[in-house]
Amino acid sequence: MVPFDWITPEGRLPDSMAHSEILYDYTKPPIYGWTALKLLGFFASDHKTNNIFDAVPKDRLTDLYEKIRSNTMFWYTSRKAKGLRIPWYTHGNDSGWDNATCYDRQTIAASPDLAAFLVVQNDFLAQAAHHLGDGEAEKEWEFKRDDMIESLLELWDDKNNEFRFQDAYDLSKWSTPTLLKFIPLVASAYLPKSVVESMTNGLKAHLTEWGLATEDPKSPDYESDGYWRGPIWAPPTILIESGLRVSGNTELADEISERFQRLCGKSGFAENYNALTGEGNRDLSYTWSASTYLVLRREQAERRAGKV
C-alpha cells in the first residue's frame, strides 16, 4: 500500500519512490485489483464468489476500495482520448516494459495489458462494493468491467490470433513478437475460451528452458540482455502463470512455475535473466524475483499437499 501514500488528487500514482525524491514523470499500470484478488486467493477459486472478502475487516476493505477506486478513475478521466475506448500509456515506462518492441512504433498507445488490468481491477471494485453493501457502485463497476472486456476484444486480431496495440492519435493497430501481448491472460476468467486458447498456444513460442522470454527468441529484435526485448522477468511470469491457472491450463502453468524456480536455483534473484542461458542480468539481488520465487514455491507445495 506504500505507493498510495503518494497518490495525487486525480488518482495518479508515482513512477518511483526513493529516500530523496518521488517521481511522477511516468506512472505504473493498475495492477492493484489483481494484486488484492491474488492475495485473497481469488485465482485459486471460482471467480464469481465474494466470500474471499470475509477475512478482511470492513474498515480495511473500505480503505483499500477507496484507494483502488481513485487510481482506476485516473485512467478513465486523465488517460482517455476521443475515439479510443481504452486508456493510453504515455510511454513504455508506464507499462513497466520500458523498451519493449511494441513501443518502437509509437509510445502513446492503448495497450492490451492495460485493458486487461482494468478488467480485473473493475471486477475487484464490483466485488468489494457488493461486500460493502453498495449496490449502485457494484453495478457501475460491473458495467465498466464488461465495457472494458468489449474494448479489449476490439484489439484482438482474428486472422493472426493475437492482441494488437493501438496508436492513441490515428487509431492504427500493430503487433510485435513481444510477451506483453500475452499479459491479457491475467483476465482469462473474463475472456472467450477461444481467445484464451489462442493466447495459450501462442505463448509457447516464448517458453525457453528457463521460462518466458519477453521477446520471441526467433525475433530479429531479440536481445539476450536487452531489458524488455528478450530476458526473463519475474513480474510477467507470475501474472501469466496465475492467468493460465485460473483458466484451467494448469499443465503449462506448472511448467512455467517449475522453470522459474529452477532458474532462481541456478542464478539467484537477479533483476532479469538471459532467456537462453539462465544467467542473471543487471542487478543480481532483486526483491521481485525473490518474492515471485517464494510465492510460486509455496503454491506448488500447497498443491502437492492437496491444500488447493
PDB file of all heavy atoms in Angstrom, residues 51-71:
ATOM      1  N   ASN A  51     -17.076 -14.484  -1.083  1.00  0.00           N
ATOM      2  CA  ASN A  51     -16.728 -14.800   0.295  1.00  0.00           C
ATOM      3  C   ASN A  51     -15.246 -14.650   0.593  1.00  0.00           C
ATOM      4  O   ASN A  51     -14.829 -14.733   1.746  1.00  0.00           O
ATOM      5  CB  ASN A  51     -17.188 -16.214   0.666  1.00  0.00           C
ATOM      6  CG  ASN A  51     -16.603 -17.296  -0.234  1.00  0.00           C
ATOM      7  OD1 ASN A  51     -15.792 -16.999  -1.099  1.00  0.00           O
ATOM      8  ND2 ASN A  51     -17.022 -18.527  -0.015  1.00  0.00           N
ATOM      9  N   ILE A  52     -14.411 -14.431  -0.416  1.00  0.00           N
ATOM     10  CA  ILE A  52     -12.993 -14.206  -0.172  1.00  0.00           C
ATOM     11  C   ILE A  52     -12.777 -12.932   0.641  1.00  0.00           C
ATOM     12  O   ILE A  52     -11.727 -12.762   1.254  1.00  0.00           O
ATOM     13  CB  ILE A  52     -12.190 -14.119  -1.486  1.00  0.00           C
ATOM     14  CG1 ILE A  52     -12.763 -13.040  -2.409  1.00  0.00           C
ATOM     15  CG2 ILE A  52     -12.134 -15.465  -2.179  1.00  0.00           C
ATOM     16  CD1 ILE A  52     -11.944 -12.806  -3.669  1.00  0.00           C
ATOM     17  N   PHE A  53     -13.742 -12.034   0.664  1.00  0.00           N
ATOM     18  CA  PHE A  53     -13.602 -10.778   1.391  1.00  0.00           C
ATOM     19  C   PHE A  53     -13.941 -10.912   2.875  1.00  0.00           C
ATOM     20  O   PHE A  53     -13.727  -9.967   3.638  1.00  0.00           O
ATOM     21  CB  PHE A  53     -14.496  -9.699   0.770  1.00  0.00           C
ATOM     22  CG  PHE A  53     -14.067  -9.271  -0.601  1.00  0.00           C
ATOM     23  CD1 PHE A  53     -14.641  -9.824  -1.730  1.00  0.00           C
ATOM     24  CD2 PHE A  53     -13.071  -8.322  -0.777  1.00  0.00           C
ATOM     25  CE1 PHE A  53     -14.248  -9.443  -3.002  1.00  0.00           C
ATOM     26  CE2 PHE A  53     -12.670  -7.928  -2.042  1.00  0.00           C
ATOM     27  CZ  PHE A  53     -13.262  -8.487  -3.155  1.00  0.00           C
ATOM     28  N   ASP A  54     -14.474 -12.044   3.284  1.00  0.00           N
ATOM     29  CA  ASP A  54     -14.914 -12.206   4.670  1.00  0.00           C
ATOM     30  C   ASP A  54     -13.778 -12.033   5.669  1.00  0.00           C
ATOM     31  O   ASP A  54     -14.006 -11.607   6.811  1.00  0.00           O
ATOM     32  CB  ASP A  54     -15.558 -13.586   4.870  1.00  0.00           C
ATOM     33  CG  ASP A  54     -16.916 -13.702   4.168  1.00  0.00           C
ATOM     34  OD1 ASP A  54     -17.497 -12.639   3.856  1.00  0.00           O
ATOM     35  OD2 ASP A  54     -17.365 -14.830   3.935  1.00  0.00           O
ATOM     36  N   ALA A  55     -12.556 -12.376   5.253  1.00  0.00           N
ATOM     37  CA  ALA A  55     -11.424 -12.306   6.178  1.00  0.00           C
ATOM     38  C   ALA A  55     -10.870 -10.888   6.330  1.00  0.00           C
ATOM     39  O   ALA A  55      -9.997 -10.659   7.171  1.00  0.00           O
ATOM     40  CB  ALA A  55     -10.310 -13.237   5.699  1.00  0.00           C
ATOM     41  N   VAL A  56     -11.375  -9.934   5.538  1.00  0.00           N
ATOM     42  CA  VAL A  56     -10.856  -8.567   5.576  1.00  0.00           C
ATOM     43  C   VAL A  56     -11.760  -7.689   6.427  1.00  0.00           C
ATOM     44  O   VAL A  56     -12.964  -7.575   6.139  1.00  0.00           O
ATOM     45  CB  VAL A  56     -10.756  -7.978   4.151  1.00  0.00           C
ATOM     46  CG1 VAL A  56     -10.088  -6.611   4.190  1.00  0.00           C
ATOM     47  CG2 VAL A  56     -10.003  -8.921   3.229  1.00  0.00           C
ATOM     48  N   PRO A  57     -11.242  -7.050   7.478  1.00  0.00           N
ATOM     49  CA  PRO A  57     -12.072  -6.133   8.280  1.00  0.00           C
ATOM     50  C   PRO A  57     -12.688  -5.060   7.406  1.00  0.00           C
ATOM     51  O   PRO A  57     -12.072  -4.597   6.442  1.00  0.00           O
ATOM     52  CB  PRO A  57     -11.057  -5.543   9.271  1.00  0.00           C
ATOM     53  CG  PRO A  57      -9.957  -6.558   9.355  1.00  0.00           C
ATOM     54  CD  PRO A  57      -9.862  -7.153   7.983  1.00  0.00           C
ATOM     55  N   LYS A  58     -13.906  -4.662   7.728  1.00  0.00           N
ATOM     56  CA  LYS A  58     -14.636  -3.723   6.880  1.00  0.00           C
ATOM     57  C   LYS A  58     -13.892  -2.412   6.686  1.00  0.00           C
ATOM     58  O   LYS A  58     -13.849  -1.872   5.571  1.00  0.00           O
ATOM     59  CB  LYS A  58     -16.022  -3.453   7.471  1.00  0.00           C
ATOM     60  CG  LYS A  58     -16.889  -2.589   6.566  1.00  0.00           C
ATOM     61  CD  LYS A  58     -18.303  -2.438   7.105  1.00  0.00           C
ATOM     62  CE  LYS A  58     -19.164  -1.606   6.151  1.00  0.00           C
ATOM     63  NZ  LYS A  58     -20.546  -1.472   6.664  1.00  0.00           N
ATOM     64  N   ASP A  59     -13.273  -1.877   7.750  1.00  0.00           N
ATOM     65  CA  ASP A  59     -12.569  -0.603   7.604  1.00  0.00           C
ATOM     66  C   ASP A  59     -11.347  -0.747   6.695  1.00  0.00           C
ATOM     67  O   ASP A  59     -11.024   0.155   5.931  1.00  0.00           O
ATOM     68  CB  ASP A  59     -12.170  -0.035   8.963  1.00  0.00           C
ATOM     69  CG  ASP A  59     -11.252  -0.966   9.748  1.00  0.00           C
ATOM     70  OD1 ASP A  59     -11.226  -2.184   9.450  1.00  0.00           O
ATOM     71  OD2 ASP A  59     -10.568  -0.482  10.677  1.00  0.00           O
ATOM     72  N   ARG A  60     -10.699  -1.900   6.754  1.00  0.00           N
ATOM     73  CA  ARG A  60      -9.542  -2.155   5.901  1.00  0.00           C
ATOM     74  C   ARG A  60      -9.982  -2.283   4.439  1.00  0.00           C
ATOM     75  O   ARG A  60      -9.342  -1.756   3.537  1.00  0.00           O
ATOM     76  CB  ARG A  60      -8.867  -3.444   6.366  1.00  0.00           C
ATOM     77  CG  ARG A  60      -7.512  -3.730   5.740  1.00  0.00           C
ATOM     78  CD  ARG A  60      -6.397  -3.017   6.490  1.00  0.00           C
ATOM     79  NE  ARG A  60      -5.102  -3.359   5.938  1.00  0.00           N
ATOM     80  CZ  ARG A  60      -4.356  -4.371   6.370  1.00  0.00           C
ATOM     81  NH1 ARG A  60      -4.803  -5.153   7.336  1.00  0.00           N
ATOM     82  NH2 ARG A  60      -3.175  -4.592   5.849  1.00  0.00           N
ATOM     83  N   LEU A  61     -11.078  -2.997   4.214  1.00  0.00           N
ATOM     84  CA  LEU A  61     -11.577  -3.167   2.854  1.00  0.00           C
ATOM     85  C   LEU A  61     -12.065  -1.843   2.290  1.00  0.00           C
ATOM     86  O   LEU A  61     -11.847  -1.541   1.116  1.00  0.00           O
ATOM     87  CB  LEU A  61     -12.710  -4.199   2.832  1.00  0.00           C
ATOM     88  CG  LEU A  61     -13.322  -4.484   1.455  1.00  0.00           C
ATOM     89  CD1 LEU A  61     -12.269  -4.999   0.487  1.00  0.00           C
ATOM     90  CD2 LEU A  61     -14.469  -5.483   1.571  1.00  0.00           C
ATOM     91  N   THR A  62     -12.709  -1.028   3.125  1.00  0.00           N
ATOM     92  CA  THR A  62     -13.192   0.278   2.677  1.00  0.00           C
ATOM     93  C   THR A  62     -12.027   1.159   2.237  1.00  0.00           C
ATOM     94  O   THR A  62     -12.079   1.824   1.192  1.00  0.00           O
ATOM     95  CB  THR A  62     -13.976   0.978   3.796  1.00  0.00           C
ATOM     96  OG1 THR A  62     -15.111   0.175   4.159  1.00  0.00           O
ATOM     97  CG2 THR A  62     -14.463   2.350   3.346  1.00  0.00           C
ATOM     98  N   ASP A  63     -10.958   1.157   3.010  1.00  0.00           N
ATOM     99  CA  ASP A  63      -9.769   1.946   2.670  1.00  0.00           C
ATOM    100  C   ASP A  63      -9.148   1.453   1.365  1.00  0.00           C
ATOM    101  O   ASP A  63      -8.799   2.253   0.490  1.00  0.00           O
ATOM    102  CB  ASP A  63      -8.754   1.845   3.811  1.00  0.00           C
ATOM    103  CG  ASP A  63      -7.495   2.654   3.541  1.00  0.00           C
ATOM    104  OD1 ASP A  63      -7.605   3.870   3.270  1.00  0.00           O
ATOM    105  OD2 ASP A  63      -6.395   2.073   3.588  1.00  0.00           O
ATOM    106  N   LEU A  64      -9.030   0.133   1.232  1.00  0.00           N
ATOM    107  CA  LEU A  64      -8.474  -0.458   0.018  1.00  0.00           C
ATOM    108  C   LEU A  64      -9.344  -0.118  -1.186  1.00  0.00           C
ATOM    109  O   LEU A  64      -8.847   0.267  -2.251  1.00  0.00           O
ATOM    110  CB  LEU A  64      -8.374  -1.971   0.184  1.00  0.00           C
ATOM    111  CG  LEU A  64      -7.746  -2.770  -0.955  1.00  0.00           C
ATOM    112  CD1 LEU A  64      -6.290  -2.379  -1.160  1.00  0.00           C
ATOM    113  CD2 LEU A  64      -7.857  -4.266  -0.670  1.00  0.00           C
ATOM    114  N   TYR A  65     -10.648  -0.242  -1.019  1.00  0.00           N
ATOM    115  CA  TYR A  65     -11.594   0.057  -2.097  1.00  0.00           C
ATOM    116  C   TYR A  65     -11.446   1.505  -2.566  1.00  0.00           C
ATOM    117  O   TYR A  65     -11.372   1.777  -3.767  1.00  0.00           O
ATOM    118  CB  TYR A  65     -13.018  -0.196  -1.609  1.00  0.00           C
ATOM    119  CG  TYR A  65     -14.090   0.258  -2.568  1.00  0.00           C
ATOM    120  CD1 TYR A  65     -14.518  -0.549  -3.616  1.00  0.00           C
ATOM    121  CD2 TYR A  65     -14.697   1.514  -2.419  1.00  0.00           C
ATOM    122  CE1 TYR A  65     -15.502  -0.130  -4.499  1.00  0.00           C
ATOM    123  CE2 TYR A  65     -15.677   1.938  -3.297  1.00  0.00           C
ATOM    124  CZ  TYR A  65     -16.081   1.122  -4.323  1.00  0.00           C
ATOM    125  OH  TYR A  65     -17.053   1.543  -5.199  1.00  0.00           O
ATOM    126  N   GLU A  66     -11.403   2.444  -1.633  1.00  0.00           N
ATOM    127  CA  GLU A  66     -11.344   3.859  -1.995  1.00  0.00           C
ATOM    128  C   GLU A  66     -10.044   4.200  -2.722  1.00  0.00           C
ATOM    129  O   GLU A  66     -10.049   4.972  -3.685  1.00  0.00           O
ATOM    130  CB  GLU A  66     -11.494   4.732  -0.745  1.00  0.00           C
ATOM    131  CG  GLU A  66     -12.909   4.770  -0.193  1.00  0.00           C
ATOM    132  CD  GLU A  66     -13.910   5.325  -1.190  1.00  0.00           C
ATOM    133  OE1 GLU A  66     -13.538   6.227  -1.984  1.00  0.00           O
ATOM    134  OE2 GLU A  66     -15.061   4.863  -1.207  1.00  0.00           O
ATOM    135  N   LYS A  67      -8.942   3.616  -2.293  1.00  0.00           N
ATOM    136  CA  LYS A  67      -7.668   3.927  -2.931  1.00  0.00           C
ATOM    137  C   LYS A  67      -7.603   3.342  -4.343  1.00  0.00           C
ATOM    138  O   LYS A  67      -7.151   4.007  -5.281  1.00  0.00           O
ATOM    139  CB  LYS A  67      -6.525   3.411  -2.062  1.00  0.00           C
ATOM    140  CG  LYS A  67      -6.330   4.258  -0.812  1.00  0.00           C
ATOM    141  CD  LYS A  67      -5.301   3.675   0.131  1.00  0.00           C
ATOM    142  CE  LYS A  67      -5.097   4.616   1.319  1.00  0.00           C
ATOM    143  NZ  LYS A  67      -4.206   4.029   2.345  1.00  0.00           N
ATOM    144  N   ILE A  68      -8.069   2.110  -4.489  1.00  0.00           N
ATOM    145  CA  ILE A  68      -8.047   1.497  -5.815  1.00  0.00           C
ATOM    146  C   ILE A  68      -9.071   2.165  -6.730  1.00  0.00           C
ATOM    147  O   ILE A  68      -8.835   2.331  -7.929  1.00  0.00           O
ATOM    148  CB  ILE A  68      -8.276  -0.023  -5.707  1.00  0.00           C
ATOM    149  CG1 ILE A  68      -7.070  -0.670  -4.999  1.00  0.00           C
ATOM    150  CG2 ILE A  68      -8.490  -0.654  -7.073  1.00  0.00           C
ATOM    151  CD1 ILE A  68      -7.169  -2.165  -4.807  1.00  0.00           C
ATOM    152  N   ARG A  69     -10.202   2.579  -6.174  1.00  0.00           N
ATOM    153  CA  ARG A  69     -11.201   3.312  -6.963  1.00  0.00           C
ATOM    154  C   ARG A  69     -10.594   4.607  -7.508  1.00  0.00           C
ATOM    155  O   ARG A  69     -10.756   4.934  -8.693  1.00  0.00           O
ATOM    156  CB  ARG A  69     -12.416   3.649  -6.090  1.00  0.00           C
ATOM    157  CG  ARG A  69     -13.512   4.416  -6.833  1.00  0.00           C
ATOM    158  CD  ARG A  69     -14.451   5.136  -5.875  1.00  0.00           C
ATOM    159  NE  ARG A  69     -13.738   6.134  -5.090  1.00  0.00           N
ATOM    160  CZ  ARG A  69     -13.386   7.324  -5.555  1.00  0.00           C
ATOM    161  NH1 ARG A  69     -13.684   7.689  -6.802  1.00  0.00           N
ATOM    162  NH2 ARG A  69     -12.732   8.165  -4.785  1.00  0.00           N
ATOM    163  N   SER A  70      -9.881   5.351  -6.657  1.00  0.00           N
ATOM    164  CA  SER A  70      -9.275   6.609  -7.083  1.00  0.00           C
ATOM    165  C   SER A  70      -8.267   6.381  -8.193  1.00  0.00           C
ATOM    166  O   SER A  70      -8.243   7.107  -9.202  1.00  0.00           O
ATOM    167  CB  SER A  70      -8.595   7.284  -5.884  1.00  0.00           C
ATOM    168  OG  SER A  70      -7.942   8.478  -6.277  1.00  0.00           O
ATOM    169  N   ASN A  71      -7.427   5.375  -8.050  1.00  0.00           N
ATOM    170  CA  ASN A  71      -6.434   5.072  -9.081  1.00  0.00           C
ATOM    171  C   ASN A  71      -7.093   4.648 -10.382  1.00  0.00           C
ATOM    172  O   ASN A  71      -6.642   5.027 -11.471  1.00  0.00           O
ATOM    173  CB  ASN A  71      -5.493   3.974  -8.579  1.00  0.00           C
ATOM    174  CG  ASN A  71      -4.527   3.500  -9.645  1.00  0.00           C
ATOM    175  OD1 ASN A  71      -4.548   2.344 -10.036  1.00  0.00           O
ATOM    176  ND2 ASN A  71      -3.681   4.392 -10.130  1.00  0.00           N
TER     177      ASN A  71
END
